Amino acid sequence: MPELPEVETIARGLDTRVAGDTVESVWIGSRKQPLKSPAGTIAATLEGKRIVRVHRAGKHIVFDLEGESRASQTQLSRTRVSQKKKGKRKREDRRQARHAASLRTSDVQTAQWIVHLGMTGRLVVCDPATEIAKQTHLIAKLASGRELRFIDPRMFGKLSVHAGGFDPGGVEPLEVSEEQFVALFRGRKTPIKSALLNQKLLRGVGNIYADESLFRAGIRPRRRAAAISRQQLGKLHRAVREVLREAIALGGSSISDYVDSDGEEGFFQLQHRVYGREGEPCPVCGTAIQRVVLAGRSSHYCEKCQK
C-alpha cells in the first residue's frame, strides 16, 4: 500500500499537471467497491469544477475544487428559457430569475475529491486515445483535452467527495513537534511499531517507514511504547521525519505496483536498511536482519543495533 512518501510524490505530480484545469465530464464504472460516496454525487461534485490544488492528507490525495454546482447551472439554464416566455408566467419568471441570481453567488462552491489508493490504485493523466485499462473505475475529462483516470485492479482504493475541510484523523508526522510526538506515544502499552501504524495517532506512516525509522532510532519494534524513554522517543521523532523526507526526495519506494503520476518508479527502496531484508547483513554491524510478525504485519530489525 502506498504510504506517506508515495502519496506525497503522486499528489505533487498531479498538482503540477492538473491544477488550474477544469473537469468537464465524469464517467464512473459499474463496480461499487471503490466508491465511498454515491457515483451520482461524485460526478455532480466534480463536473464543472476547477481543480484549485492537489495535496496530501495522511495517505489520501485531496483535490480542492471550486466552481458552480451542476444543480445551479441547470436551474440557471431553465430560468433563461422561462424568461423568454410571456403572459401569465411573467411573475413566476421574475421569481425564478431572482432565485437564479442567488444561486449564481451562493452556489459558487468549493468541494474536495478524496482518493485513497488502497493497495494497487493509480491516478494517471493521459491522452484520450490511450487504451483504457480493464480496471479503470473513473475517467474525468478535462478542459485541456486530457483525461484523469483512476485505475485499481484489486479495488481496495476509495473515492469520495466532501464539502471541504477533510480530516483523516491523526497528527501529520512532518509537522508534529517533538513534545506532541512524545505525548502521543508515552505511556501506551502497545508495541511501538503498532503505535506508529495507528493512523488515529500519526497519519501516513506505514510498515516500510515504521521499520526504517525504528532502525535509525535504535528501538526494537516489539518494545512497549510505555517502556521507551523520553530521550529515545525524541530520537524516534527525528528519525521518522528524516526517513520520510529522504523517501519523498527519492520519489518513494517502488514495492509491488507503485509508480508516480508520470508512471515512474521511486528509488527509496534502494536505501532500505532493514525493511524486506530478512537474513541479509545489517548495514551497520553485519548481523543478520530479523523478521517478526506484529498484529499480522511483518517487522524487520537488527537485534544488535536495536534494543
Side-chain angles (χ1 to χ4, degrees):
M1 178 184 292
E3 300 179 22
L4 186 154
E6 290 78 45
V7 178
E8 178 71 23
T9 300
I10 293 168
R12 289 182 182 184
L14 288 170
D15 187 60
T16 299
R17 301 188 70 185
V18 303
D21 215 332
T22 298
V23 179
E24 291 190 332
S25 64
V26 174
W27 171 87
I28 297 175
S30 59
R31 296 296 188 100
K32 303 297 183 184
Q33 291 93 325
L35 306 182
K36 200 170 181 179
S37 297
T41 302
I42 294 174
T45 301
L46 267 62
E47 288 177 348
K49 295 292 197 304
R50 184 173 68 89
I51 301 171
V52 178
R53 177 187 173 215
V54 186
H55 57 102
R56 176 191 58 80
K59 295 181 182 180
H60 299 77
I61 297 172
V62 181
F63 291 76
D64 289 339
L65 308 171
E66 183 181 74
E68 195 171 86
S69 72
R70 190 170 68 178
S72 64
Q73 290 175 348
T74 302
Q75 179 63 48
L76 283 169
S77 176
R78 289 174 179 170
T79 301
R80 291 189 187 103
V81 171
S82 70
Q83 286 174 331
K84 295 180 180 179
K85 298 177 181 178
K86 297 181 180 180
K88 295 181 180 180
R89 297 199 57 189
K90 186 175 289 187
R91 184 177 298 175
E92 178 65 14
D93 291 346
R94 285 197 295 268
R95 187 191 67 79
Q96 289 191 14
R98 287 194 298 271
H99 179 57
S102 70
L103 286 173
R104 192 185 299 271
T105 56
S106 64
D107 274 11
V108 173
Q109 298 178 344
T110 58
Q112 290 179 317
W113 177 31
I114 313 300
V115 180
H116 191 288
L117 297 174
M119 296 291 291
T120 58
R122 290 188 294 137
L123 281 166
V124 297
V125 181
C126 59
D127 186 271
T130 303
E131 183 180 357
I132 299 175
K134 183 179 179 180
Q135 303 87 1
T136 301
H137 303 288
L138 180 145
I139 300 175
K141 292 186 179 294
L142 305 177
S144 62
R146 301 170 298 167
E147 291 182 349
L148 177 59
R149 300 178 184 177
F150 176 68
I151 304 165
D152 187 7
R154 297 185 66 183
M155 293 186 290
F156 289 122
K158 295 296 178 185
L159 306 176
S160 62
V161 289
H162 294 256
F166 172 73
D167 182 2
V171 180
E172 173 58 47
L174 292 175
E175 298 174 0
V176 64
S177 68
E178 183 173 317
E179 291 72 19
Q180 289 175 308
F181 186 91
V182 171
L184 283 176
F185 299 107
R186 202 167 192 184
R188 294 190 175 272
K189 297 179 180 180
T190 56
I192 185 61
K193 170 70 178 289
S194 299
L196 283 172
L197 296 181
N198 186 343
Q199 300 300 298
K200 294 180 181 178
L201 299 177
L202 202 66
R203 65 193 192 199
V205 177
N207 213 32
I208 297 172
Y209 302 104
D211 278 2
E212 292 298 312
S213 299
L214 287 168
F215 174 76
R216 295 194 189 190
I219 301 171
R220 289 196 183 188
R222 286 194 288 196
R223 280 189 65 186
R224 285 191 309 142
I228 300 173
S229 69
R230 192 201 184 288
Q231 183 179 6
Q232 288 176 308
L233 285 173
K235 189 174 182 180
L236 179 58
H237 169 255
R238 292 187 291 276
V240 168
R241 291 161 64 89
E242 178 182 82
V243 166
L244 292 176
R245 285 172 175 157
E246 287 181 15
I248 291 170
L250 290 174
S253 298
S254 282
I255 304 294
S256 185
D257 307 89
Y258 167 70
V259 291
D260 64 18
S261 61
D262 293 317
E264 300 293 332
E265 293 185 347
F267 294 99
F268 191 70
Q269 70 274 8
L270 303 178
Q271 304 297 321
H272 290 176
R273 302 180 187 181
V274 290
Y275 181 82
R277 299 186 65 243
E278 180 185 7
E280 296 181 28
C282 168
V284 175
C285 70
T287 303
I289 299 297
Q290 302 294 310
R291 174 182 171 272
V292 295
V293 177
L294 284 172
R297 307 292 297 275
S298 293
S299 296
H300 305 81
Y301 70 99
C302 172
E303 62 181 2
K304 185 175 181 180
C305 294
Q306 294 170 255
K307 304 297 181 182

